[in-house]
Short mmCIF file of all heavy atoms in Angstrom, two decimals:
data_model
loop_
_atom_site.label_atom_id
_atom_site.label_comp_id
_atom_site.label_asym_id
_atom_site.label_seq_id
_atom_site.Cartn_x
_atom_site.Cartn_y
_atom_site.Cartn_z
N LEU A 9 -3.04 4.18 5.19
CA LEU A 9 -2.66 3.86 3.81
C LEU A 9 -3.68 2.92 3.17
O LEU A 9 -4.06 3.09 2.00
CB LEU A 9 -1.27 3.23 3.79
CG LEU A 9 -0.63 2.99 2.42
CD1 LEU A 9 -0.51 4.29 1.64
CD2 LEU A 9 0.75 2.36 2.59
N LEU A 10 -4.16 1.95 3.93
CA LEU A 10 -5.18 1.03 3.43
C LEU A 10 -6.47 1.77 3.11
O LEU A 10 -7.10 1.54 2.05
CB LEU A 10 -5.46 -0.07 4.46
CG LEU A 10 -4.34 -1.09 4.69
CD1 LEU A 10 -4.70 -2.02 5.85
CD2 LEU A 10 -4.08 -1.91 3.44
N PHE A 11 -6.88 2.67 4.00
CA PHE A 11 -8.09 3.45 3.75
C PHE A 11 -7.95 4.31 2.50
O PHE A 11 -8.88 4.44 1.70
CB PHE A 11 -8.39 4.35 4.95
CG PHE A 11 -8.98 3.62 6.13
CD1 PHE A 11 -9.01 4.21 7.38
CD2 PHE A 11 -9.51 2.35 5.99
CE1 PHE A 11 -9.55 3.56 8.46
CE2 PHE A 11 -10.06 1.68 7.07
CZ PHE A 11 -10.08 2.29 8.31
N PHE A 12 -6.76 4.91 2.33
CA PHE A 12 -6.53 5.79 1.19
C PHE A 12 -6.64 4.99 -0.12
O PHE A 12 -7.29 5.42 -1.08
CB PHE A 12 -5.16 6.45 1.29
CG PHE A 12 -4.90 7.48 0.22
CD1 PHE A 12 -5.29 8.79 0.41
CD2 PHE A 12 -4.28 7.13 -0.97
CE1 PHE A 12 -5.06 9.75 -0.58
CE2 PHE A 12 -4.06 8.07 -1.96
CZ PHE A 12 -4.44 9.38 -1.76
N ILE A 13 -6.00 3.82 -0.16
CA ILE A 13 -6.02 3.02 -1.39
C ILE A 13 -7.41 2.50 -1.69
O ILE A 13 -7.87 2.51 -2.84
CB ILE A 13 -5.02 1.85 -1.27
CG1 ILE A 13 -3.58 2.37 -1.23
CG2 ILE A 13 -5.18 0.87 -2.43
CD1 ILE A 13 -2.54 1.30 -0.95
N TYR A 14 -8.13 2.06 -0.67
CA TYR A 14 -9.42 1.41 -0.88
C TYR A 14 -10.57 2.41 -1.06
O TYR A 14 -11.47 2.19 -1.89
CB TYR A 14 -9.72 0.48 0.29
CG TYR A 14 -10.94 -0.39 0.08
CD1 TYR A 14 -11.02 -1.25 -1.01
CD2 TYR A 14 -12.01 -0.36 0.97
CE1 TYR A 14 -12.13 -2.06 -1.22
CE2 TYR A 14 -13.13 -1.17 0.78
CZ TYR A 14 -13.18 -2.01 -0.32
OH TYR A 14 -14.28 -2.81 -0.52
N PHE A 15 -10.54 3.51 -0.29
CA PHE A 15 -11.66 4.43 -0.31
C PHE A 15 -11.42 5.70 -1.15
O PHE A 15 -12.37 6.27 -1.69
CB PHE A 15 -12.02 4.86 1.12
CG PHE A 15 -12.54 3.73 1.97
CD1 PHE A 15 -11.82 3.29 3.06
CD2 PHE A 15 -13.74 3.11 1.68
CE1 PHE A 15 -12.27 2.24 3.85
CE2 PHE A 15 -14.21 2.06 2.46
CZ PHE A 15 -13.48 1.63 3.54
N VAL A 16 -10.16 6.14 -1.25
CA VAL A 16 -9.87 7.40 -1.92
C VAL A 16 -9.46 7.20 -3.38
O VAL A 16 -9.89 7.96 -4.26
CB VAL A 16 -8.76 8.18 -1.17
CG1 VAL A 16 -8.43 9.49 -1.90
CG2 VAL A 16 -9.18 8.47 0.26
N MET A 17 -8.64 6.17 -3.64
CA MET A 17 -8.15 5.98 -5.01
C MET A 17 -9.25 5.79 -6.06
O MET A 17 -9.07 6.19 -7.21
CB MET A 17 -7.18 4.79 -5.05
CG MET A 17 -5.85 5.04 -4.34
SD MET A 17 -5.02 6.55 -4.89
CE MET A 17 -4.63 6.12 -6.59
N PRO A 18 -10.42 5.21 -5.70
CA PRO A 18 -11.50 5.15 -6.70
C PRO A 18 -11.91 6.52 -7.23
O PRO A 18 -12.38 6.63 -8.37
CB PRO A 18 -12.64 4.48 -5.93
CG PRO A 18 -11.95 3.61 -4.94
CD PRO A 18 -10.75 4.40 -4.51
N ASP A 19 -11.74 7.57 -6.43
CA ASP A 19 -12.05 8.92 -6.90
C ASP A 19 -11.12 9.36 -8.02
O ASP A 19 -11.44 10.28 -8.79
CB ASP A 19 -11.96 9.93 -5.74
CG ASP A 19 -13.01 9.67 -4.67
OD1 ASP A 19 -14.03 9.02 -4.99
OD2 ASP A 19 -12.81 10.12 -3.52
N PHE A 20 -9.96 8.71 -8.11
CA PHE A 20 -8.98 9.02 -9.16
C PHE A 20 -9.00 7.97 -10.27
O PHE A 20 -8.10 7.92 -11.10
CB PHE A 20 -7.58 9.11 -8.56
CG PHE A 20 -7.42 10.21 -7.55
CD1 PHE A 20 -7.59 9.94 -6.19
CD2 PHE A 20 -7.13 11.50 -7.95
CE1 PHE A 20 -7.45 10.95 -5.25
CE2 PHE A 20 -6.99 12.52 -7.01
CZ PHE A 20 -7.15 12.25 -5.67
N GLY A 21 -10.02 7.12 -10.25
CA GLY A 21 -10.19 6.14 -11.33
C GLY A 21 -9.55 4.79 -11.09
O GLY A 21 -9.53 3.96 -12.00
N LEU A 22 -9.01 4.54 -9.89
CA LEU A 22 -8.38 3.25 -9.60
C LEU A 22 -9.19 2.53 -8.52
O LEU A 22 -9.08 2.84 -7.33
CB LEU A 22 -6.93 3.45 -9.12
CG LEU A 22 -6.16 2.16 -8.78
CD1 LEU A 22 -6.05 1.26 -10.01
CD2 LEU A 22 -4.78 2.48 -8.23
N SER A 23 -9.99 1.59 -8.95
CA SER A 23 -10.82 0.83 -8.03
C SER A 23 -10.25 -0.58 -7.86
O SER A 23 -10.06 -1.30 -8.85
CB SER A 23 -12.26 0.74 -8.55
OG SER A 23 -12.86 2.02 -8.61
N LEU A 24 -9.98 -0.94 -6.63
CA LEU A 24 -9.43 -2.25 -6.32
C LEU A 24 -10.37 -3.00 -5.39
O LEU A 24 -11.13 -2.39 -4.63
CB LEU A 24 -8.06 -2.11 -5.65
CG LEU A 24 -6.96 -1.39 -6.44
CD1 LEU A 24 -5.72 -1.23 -5.57
CD2 LEU A 24 -6.61 -2.16 -7.70
N THR A 25 -10.31 -4.33 -5.44
CA THR A 25 -11.05 -5.11 -4.47
C THR A 25 -10.39 -4.94 -3.10
O THR A 25 -9.25 -4.47 -3.00
CB THR A 25 -11.06 -6.60 -4.84
OG1 THR A 25 -9.71 -7.10 -4.77
CG2 THR A 25 -11.61 -6.80 -6.26
N ALA A 26 -11.11 -5.33 -2.06
CA ALA A 26 -10.55 -5.20 -0.71
C ALA A 26 -9.27 -6.02 -0.58
O ALA A 26 -8.29 -5.57 0.03
CB ALA A 26 -11.59 -5.65 0.32
N LEU A 27 -9.26 -7.21 -1.17
CA LEU A 27 -8.07 -8.06 -1.08
C LEU A 27 -6.90 -7.42 -1.82
O LEU A 27 -5.77 -7.38 -1.29
CB LEU A 27 -8.36 -9.44 -1.68
CG LEU A 27 -7.21 -10.44 -1.71
CD1 LEU A 27 -6.71 -10.71 -0.29
CD2 LEU A 27 -7.63 -11.73 -2.39
N GLN A 28 -7.13 -6.91 -3.01
CA GLN A 28 -6.07 -6.24 -3.77
C GLN A 28 -5.55 -5.02 -3.03
O GLN A 28 -4.33 -4.80 -2.96
CB GLN A 28 -6.59 -5.84 -5.15
CG GLN A 28 -6.89 -7.01 -6.07
CD GLN A 28 -7.63 -6.58 -7.33
OE1 GLN A 28 -8.25 -5.52 -7.37
NE2 GLN A 28 -7.56 -7.41 -8.36
N ALA A 29 -6.46 -4.24 -2.47
CA ALA A 29 -6.05 -3.05 -1.73
C ALA A 29 -5.25 -3.42 -0.48
O ALA A 29 -4.27 -2.75 -0.13
CB ALA A 29 -7.28 -2.22 -1.33
N GLY A 30 -5.65 -4.50 0.18
CA GLY A 30 -4.93 -4.95 1.37
C GLY A 30 -3.51 -5.38 1.04
O GLY A 30 -2.56 -5.02 1.74
N ILE A 31 -3.37 -6.16 -0.02
CA ILE A 31 -2.04 -6.62 -0.44
C ILE A 31 -1.17 -5.43 -0.86
O ILE A 31 -0.01 -5.33 -0.45
CB ILE A 31 -2.17 -7.63 -1.60
CG1 ILE A 31 -2.80 -8.93 -1.09
CG2 ILE A 31 -0.81 -7.91 -2.23
CD1 ILE A 31 -3.11 -9.93 -2.18
N LEU A 32 -1.73 -4.55 -1.68
CA LEU A 32 -0.97 -3.40 -2.16
C LEU A 32 -0.58 -2.46 -1.02
O LEU A 32 0.57 -2.02 -0.94
CB LEU A 32 -1.79 -2.65 -3.21
CG LEU A 32 -1.11 -1.45 -3.87
CD1 LEU A 32 0.15 -1.88 -4.61
CD2 LEU A 32 -2.08 -0.74 -4.82
N GLY A 33 -1.54 -2.17 -0.13
CA GLY A 33 -1.26 -1.25 0.96
C GLY A 33 -0.20 -1.76 1.91
O GLY A 33 0.72 -1.04 2.28
N LEU A 34 -0.33 -3.03 2.28
CA LEU A 34 0.66 -3.61 3.20
C LEU A 34 2.02 -3.71 2.52
O LEU A 34 3.06 -3.47 3.15
CB LEU A 34 0.19 -5.00 3.64
CG LEU A 34 0.86 -5.59 4.89
CD1 LEU A 34 0.57 -4.73 6.10
CD2 LEU A 34 0.36 -7.01 5.13
N GLY A 35 2.02 -4.04 1.23
CA GLY A 35 3.28 -4.13 0.50
C GLY A 35 3.99 -2.80 0.40
O GLY A 35 5.20 -2.70 0.60
N ILE A 36 3.24 -1.75 0.08
CA ILE A 36 3.83 -0.41 -0.02
C ILE A 36 4.35 0.05 1.33
O ILE A 36 5.45 0.60 1.44
CB ILE A 36 2.80 0.59 -0.58
CG1 ILE A 36 2.49 0.27 -2.05
CG2 ILE A 36 3.31 2.03 -0.44
CD1 ILE A 36 1.38 1.12 -2.64
N ALA A 37 3.55 -0.17 2.38
CA ALA A 37 3.96 0.27 3.71
C ALA A 37 5.26 -0.41 4.15
O ALA A 37 6.18 0.25 4.66
CB ALA A 37 2.85 -0.03 4.72
N TYR A 38 5.36 -1.70 3.92
CA TYR A 38 6.54 -2.44 4.37
C TYR A 38 7.74 -2.29 3.44
O TYR A 38 8.85 -2.67 3.80
CB TYR A 38 6.20 -3.92 4.58
CG TYR A 38 5.83 -4.24 5.99
CD1 TYR A 38 4.51 -4.17 6.42
CD2 TYR A 38 6.80 -4.57 6.93
CE1 TYR A 38 4.16 -4.43 7.72
CE2 TYR A 38 6.46 -4.85 8.24
CZ TYR A 38 5.13 -4.78 8.63
OH TYR A 38 4.80 -5.03 9.94
N SER A 39 7.53 -1.73 2.25
CA SER A 39 8.66 -1.52 1.34
C SER A 39 9.68 -0.57 1.95
O SER A 39 10.89 -0.67 1.67
CB SER A 39 8.17 -0.97 0.00
OG SER A 39 7.69 0.35 0.10
N ALA A 40 9.21 0.35 2.80
CA ALA A 40 10.15 1.28 3.45
C ALA A 40 11.09 0.53 4.39
O ALA A 40 12.30 0.80 4.42
CB ALA A 40 9.36 2.34 4.23
N TYR A 41 10.55 -0.42 5.15
CA TYR A 41 11.38 -1.19 6.08
C TYR A 41 12.27 -2.18 5.34
O TYR A 41 13.42 -2.40 5.73
CB TYR A 41 10.48 -1.91 7.08
CG TYR A 41 9.56 -0.98 7.82
CD1 TYR A 41 8.21 -0.87 7.45
CD2 TYR A 41 10.02 -0.17 8.85
CE1 TYR A 41 7.36 0.01 8.11
CE2 TYR A 41 9.18 0.71 9.51
CZ TYR A 41 7.85 0.80 9.14
OH TYR A 41 7.02 1.68 9.78
N GLN A 42 11.73 -2.75 4.27
CA GLN A 42 12.55 -3.64 3.44
C GLN A 42 13.72 -2.86 2.84
O GLN A 42 14.85 -3.37 2.77
CB GLN A 42 11.71 -4.25 2.31
CG GLN A 42 10.58 -5.16 2.76
CD GLN A 42 11.06 -6.57 3.06
OE1 GLN A 42 12.18 -6.77 3.50
NE2 GLN A 42 10.20 -7.54 2.83
N SER A 43 13.46 -1.64 2.40
CA SER A 43 14.50 -0.82 1.79
C SER A 43 15.65 -0.56 2.75
O SER A 43 16.83 -0.71 2.39
CB SER A 43 13.90 0.51 1.32
OG SER A 43 14.92 1.39 0.89
N GLU A 44 15.33 -0.19 3.97
CA GLU A 44 16.38 0.07 4.96
C GLU A 44 17.16 -1.20 5.28
O GLU A 44 18.37 -1.15 5.50
CB GLU A 44 15.76 0.66 6.23
CG GLU A 44 15.19 2.06 6.05
CD GLU A 44 16.25 3.05 5.62
OE1 GLU A 44 16.98 3.56 6.48
OE2 GLU A 44 16.36 3.32 4.40
N ASN A 45 16.46 -2.32 5.29
CA ASN A 45 17.12 -3.60 5.51
C ASN A 45 18.09 -3.92 4.38
O ASN A 45 19.25 -4.28 4.60
CB ASN A 45 16.06 -4.70 5.63
CG ASN A 45 16.66 -6.07 5.89
OD1 ASN A 45 17.67 -6.22 6.58
ND2 ASN A 45 16.04 -7.09 5.32
N PHE A 46 17.63 -3.75 3.14
CA PHE A 46 18.48 -4.03 1.98
C PHE A 46 19.65 -3.04 1.91
O PHE A 46 20.77 -3.43 1.57
CB PHE A 46 17.67 -3.96 0.69
CG PHE A 46 16.64 -5.04 0.57
CD1 PHE A 46 15.42 -4.79 -0.06
CD2 PHE A 46 16.87 -6.31 1.07
CE1 PHE A 46 14.47 -5.78 -0.18
CE2 PHE A 46 15.92 -7.31 0.96
CZ PHE A 46 14.71 -7.05 0.33
N ARG A 47 19.38 -1.79 2.21
CA ARG A 47 20.45 -0.78 2.15
C ARG A 47 21.55 -1.10 3.16
O ARG A 47 22.74 -1.00 2.85
CB ARG A 47 19.89 0.61 2.44
CG ARG A 47 20.93 1.73 2.35
CD ARG A 47 20.28 3.09 2.52
NE ARG A 47 19.75 3.28 3.84
CZ ARG A 47 20.42 3.77 4.87
NH1 ARG A 47 21.71 4.11 4.73
NH2 ARG A 47 19.86 3.92 6.05
N ALA A 48 21.14 -1.53 4.35
CA ALA A 48 22.13 -1.90 5.37
C ALA A 48 22.96 -3.09 4.89
O ALA A 48 24.18 -3.13 5.11
CB ALA A 48 21.43 -2.22 6.68
N GLY A 49 22.30 -4.05 4.23
CA GLY A 49 23.03 -5.20 3.72
C GLY A 49 24.00 -4.84 2.62
O GLY A 49 25.14 -5.33 2.58
#
């Protein structure tokens, strides 16, 4: 997911710095686990 955001998304016009891509990628990836946690609650 990090590779896709940082290396592939610029081909679609979205260029992010490495730090921005790292934050966004990790946040998106963990949103799935957060969602299941919140749903259970």
Side-chain angles (χ1 to χ4, degrees):
L9 187 58
L10 291 173
F11 284 164
F12 186 87
I13 293 173
Y14 188 58
F15 294 114
V16 179
M17 291 307 294
D19 295 338
F20 297 94
L22 180 61
S23 296
L24 300 175
T25 65
L27 179 60
Q28 291 170 340
I31 291 174
L32 183 61
L34 197 63
I36 291 174
Y38 266 90
S39 70
Y41 304 101
Q42 296 277 33
S43 172
E44 292 299 278
N45 181 35
F46 293 146
R47 182 175 67 88

